[in-house]
Amino acid sequence: MGLFVESVDVWAAPISDRPGALAEALKALSDAGADLQCIISRRAPDQPGKGVVFVTPLQGDGEIAAAGQVGFSASHTVHSVRVMGRDRPGIAASIALKIAQGGINMRGFSSVVLGTQFIAYIALDSREDAERVIRALTQG
C-alpha cells in the first residue's frame, strides 16, 4: 500500500464549551512553539458546558510544560496511530479492512486528503492494539 505508519502520543485537555476556549488552549501551545499536526476538539456530550481537545505532537520540555499549565496531559486511555500515503479511491476502506481482518476494534478513525496525500489518525484502546494496527498495515 506504500504507507507511512507510526504510533503517536495524544495529549488531551478539558475545555469549556464557550467561545474562545479552544483558541486559548491552542494559543498557549503555539506560544511555546508547538507545531501541531492534528487537533480534534468537541463538546463532551455527557457533560453540559464542557468540551475536550486532543492534539499531537507535543515535543520538548517547553511545549510539555506549557501544555500542562492549560490542562493538557498525555492520554493513557487513547492510543493513536498516524497513517500517511498517496491518496486513491478506497484507501480508507482498504485501511479499515486490514484492521478488521486483524481482529482489531478501533475507537475512532479520522482522515483527510490534502492535495494528492492523505493522513489518517486511528484511535485505539491500548498500546497493544496500536502495535497490532502497525503490524497489520505494514506487513504484506
Side-chain angles (χ1 to χ4, degrees):
M1 258 197 271
L3 302 175
F4 177 77
V5 183
E6 67 179 341
S7 180
V8 293
D9 289 330
V10 176
W11 296 76
I15 58 173
S16 297
D17 181 10
R18 63 169 175 76
L22 177 62
E24 292 164 6
L26 295 179
K27 183 173 183 331
L29 300 180
S30 176
D31 288 349
D35 184 14
L36 302 174
Q37 296 173 0
C38 183
I39 304 162
I40 298 173
S41 181
R42 62 178 177 253
R43 289 179 171 149
D46 56 343
Q47 298 175 347
K50 303 287 183 186
V52 63
V53 58
F54 301 95
V55 302
T56 189
L58 291 177
Q59 302 171 334
D61 294 342
E63 291 179 22
I64 292 170
Q69 291 176 357
V70 291
F72 281 90
S73 61
S75 176
H76 300 290
T77 59
V78 176
H79 302 273
S80 189
V81 172
R82 178 176 41 222
V83 183
M84 298 183 295
R86 188 161 183 78
D87 185 40
R88 64 172 175 76
I91 188 68
S94 295
I95 291 168
L97 181 59
K98 282 192 174 273
I99 293 169
Q101 289 170 336
I104 307 158
N105 192 26
M106 293 181 281
R107 181 178 186 150
F109 186 99
S110 301
S111 178
V112 66
V113 172
L114 302 169
T116 62
Q117 301 295 307
F118 82 92
I119 186 166
Y121 285 86
I122 301 163
L124 302 142
D125 291 319
S126 70
R127 187 163 306 282
E128 294 77 22
D129 282 349
E131 292 168 3
R132 291 174 57 209
V133 163
I134 292 169
R135 284 193 303 276
L137 295 178
T138 58
Q139 294 176 351

